Amino acid sequence: MTGSKSPQSLEDLASAVRANDRVALGRAITLIESTKPDDQTRAQELLKTLLPETKKSIRIGISGPPGAGKSTLIDQLGMNLIAQGHKVAVLAVDPTSSRTGGSILGDKTRMGRLAAESDAYIRPSPAGTSLGGVTKTTRETIAIAEAAGFDVVLVETVGVGQSETAVSNMVDVYVVVAIPGAGDELQGIKRGLLELADVIAVNKADNDNIERANRAATEYRAALHILAASNAAWQPAVLTVSARDNAGLDALWDKIKECHAALAESGVLDGRRADQAAAWMREIFEQRLLAAFKGGRRAARQYQDIEDKVRAGEVTPAEGADELAALAGLKQAK
Ligand code: GDP
C-alpha cells in the first residue's frame, strides 16, 4: 500500500482490500461514496473485480427506536463474535443524522470497545446524503466488506421512517431491538417494523426491569402470532436480552444463525438475495432514466416547471407524469 497521493491501480486497490488493509478499505468505500462520475466508474470497476469474493457473510439488519440500546447491543454482540473468531463490519443507514444533529448511527464513539478491535470495522453513514444515496453506498459497502473477509455484517438503522424497509432489502436476517414500554408494550414499534422482524430482542431485561421485559416479550409474541409469517421457512422469534450485562446475547446469536440456516436450507435466502439484486437493478435503472432525462438543460427546466405545478396542486401527479412521459417521447401507458 502506498501512502502517497499517487493514484493506485484498481487491481492494487482490490488486492489490498482482499488483504483487509484498512487504508485500502477506507479508500474503496470513499470511492463508492463519491458522487464524481470518474470515481463512480472506478467504484463500479472495483466492485466488478471483487464480485467473486462477495456474498459470503451473514448480513444482519439491526433496527429499533432511538435509545433502545442498538449501539450498546452491537458493541457487546460484536465483542462476543470477535472472541469466537468472527470478523465483524458495522455499517449504518441513517439519512437523518446530518440534518437533526441527533445521535449518529455507526458512530465509533457509541461502540467504543468494538471500534478499537482489529477484527471489527465500523463505518458511519455518509453525511448529507438522501436515503437513496445511503442505500446505494451501503449495499456496495457490504460487498467491499465481504471481499475484505468480514463474515458478519451488521447494518444499523433507526426504526422510524423508511430506512428500515431499505435495510430489509439488503440483509438476510432482520433483528428489531425493542424495550419494554409503559402500558402499551408495542409502543414505539410500528406494525410495519414488526412485519419485517425475523427476531425481536427485548432489551434492558435487567434489574427491576426483568418482569416488564418478559411481559413485553409475551405481547410481542402475541402480536407476531396475529401477523402472518412472511415466509413458511421461519417463524419470527422473541427473546429478552440485556446488552449492558451481556445477558441473552449468545441466545440471540444462536437464533440469528438458526434463522439464517432455515432460510438458506429452504431456498428462501437465495430467493431473497435474488429479489434484492433484481430490485436493486431496477432502482439503479430508474435513477439512470431520470438522470438521463433531466440531463438536458431544457428538460431539467421543463421537469421543474411540471413539478412546481404538481406542488401547487394545479395538475395531479399522474397528469404531471403523463406530461413528462410525453416530453421523453414515451408512448402512452395503457
Ligand atoms: P441506541 O440509541 O438504540 O443506540 O441506544 P444506546 O445503545 O445508545 O442506549 C441508550 C441508553 O440505554 C444508554 O444510556 C445505554 O446505557 C442504555 N442501555 C443500553 N442497553 C441497556 C441494557 O441492556 N440495560 C440497561 N439497563 N440500559 C441499557
Side-chain angles (χ1 to χ4, degrees), residues 63-65 67-70 73 175-181 185-189 193-194 199-205 213 216-217 220 238-241:
S63 190
K70 294 178 295 301
L73 186 142
V175 178
V176 171
V177 182
I179 33 172
E185 303 296 1
L186 302 187
Q187 202 180 43
I189 303 285
L193 187 54
L194 223 50
V199 181
I200 295 180
V202 180
N203 190 30
K204 308 196 187 185
Y220 280 118
V238 183
L239 295 91
T240 57
V241 301

Side-chain angles (χ1 to χ4, degrees), residues 229-253:
S230 62
N231 64 76
W234 181 252
Q235 182 66 38
V238 183
L239 295 91
T240 57
V241 301
S242 169
R244 189 194 65 185
D245 297 350
N246 194 10
L249 295 189
D250 289 343
L252 172 62
W253 177 242

Side-chain angles (χ1 to χ4, degrees), residues 189-259:
I189 303 285
K190 293 184 305 175
R191 190 192 156 102
L193 187 54
L194 223 50
E195 281 168 355
L196 296 174
D198 292 308
V199 181
I200 295 180
V202 180
N203 190 30
K204 308 196 187 185
D206 42 48
N207 299 347
D208 50 3
N209 225 0
I210 293 178
E211 257 316 298
R212 289 205 303 153
N214 286 334
R215 263 204 318 274
T218 305
E219 299 212 7
Y220 280 118
R221 279 187 200 107
L224 285 173
H225 206 71
I226 296 164
L227 295 172
S230 62
N231 64 76
W234 181 252
Q235 182 66 38
V238 183
L239 295 91
T240 57
V241 301
S242 169
R244 189 194 65 185
D245 297 350
N246 194 10
L249 295 189
D250 289 343
L252 172 62
W253 177 242
D254 286 345
K255 259 304 162 220
I256 291 171
K257 279 193 299 187
E258 205 185 305
C259 173

Side-chain angles (χ1 to χ4, degrees), residues 63-80:
S63 190
K70 294 178 295 301
S71 56
T72 309
L73 186 142
I74 291 170
D75 195 45
Q76 186 61 59
L77 180 66
M79 292 303 287
N80 297 352

Side-chain angles (χ1 to χ4, degrees), residues 61-317:
I62 308 242
S63 190
K70 294 178 295 301
S71 56
T72 309
L73 186 142
I74 291 170
D75 195 45
Q76 186 61 59
L77 180 66
M79 292 303 287
N80 297 352
L81 293 176
I82 283 173
Q84 292 171 25
H86 291 287
K87 287 161 67 91
V88 180
V90 182
L91 314 175
V93 171
D94 182 12
T96 59
S97 63
S98 54
R99 267 183 288 141
T100 59
S103 83
I104 299 191
L105 296 186
D107 181 359
K108 293 177 187 159
T109 58
R110 290 169 67 237
M111 299 163 196
R113 285 179 306 162
L114 198 57
E117 289 293 326
S118 60
D119 283 332
Y121 186 75
I122 300 177
R123 186 79 180 185
S125 216
T129 319
S130 66
L131 178 59
V134 177
T135 310
K136 175 180 182 296
T137 59
T138 308
R139 280 175 191 263
E140 294 176 350
T141 302
I142 290 176
I144 299 286
E146 288 175 341
F150 291 95
D151 64 335
V152 178
V153 177
L154 302 172
V155 183
E156 182 193 16
T157 193
V158 181
V160 290
Q162 270 140 31
S163 57
E164 66 266 24
T165 315
V167 168
S168 79
N169 284 328
M170 59 177 96
V171 298
D172 304 326
V173 178
Y174 201 90
V175 178
V176 171
V177 182
I179 33 172
D184 178 7
E185 303 296 1
L186 302 187
Q187 202 180 43
I189 303 285
K190 293 184 305 175
R191 190 192 156 102
L193 187 54
L194 223 50
E195 281 168 355
L196 296 174
D198 292 308
V199 181
I200 295 180
V202 180
N203 190 30
K204 308 196 187 185
D206 42 48
N207 299 347
D208 50 3
N209 225 0
I210 293 178
E211 257 316 298
R212 289 205 303 153
N214 286 334
R215 263 204 318 274
T218 305
E219 299 212 7
Y220 280 118
R221 279 187 200 107
L224 285 173
H225 206 71
I226 296 164
L227 295 172
S230 62
N231 64 76
W234 181 252
Q235 182 66 38
V238 183
L239 295 91
T240 57
V241 301
S242 169
R244 189 194 65 185
D245 297 350
N246 194 10
L249 295 189
D250 289 343
L252 172 62
W253 177 242
D254 286 345
K255 259 304 162 220
I256 291 171
K257 279 193 299 187
E258 205 185 305
C259 173
H260 195 260
L263 297 179
E265 276 158 28
S266 61
V268 171
L269 189 63
D270 282 345
R272 261 190 202 183
R273 286 190 173 190
D275 287 348
Q276 290 170 354
W280 184 217
M281 182 191 76
R282 196 184 55 227
E283 231 172 282
I284 295 174
F285 183 58
E286 283 170 358
Q287 281 170 13
R288 289 260 165 91
L289 278 182
L290 195 60
F293 175 69
K294 287 167 133 188
R297 267 245 205 88
R298 182 148 170 261
R301 211 171 39 240
Q302 287 169 323
Y303 185 95
Q304 198 52 54
D305 287 348
I306 295 173
E307 187 183 301
D308 289 346
K309 281 194 266 174
V310 170
R311 282 178 185 278
E314 289 163 20
V315 300
T316 68

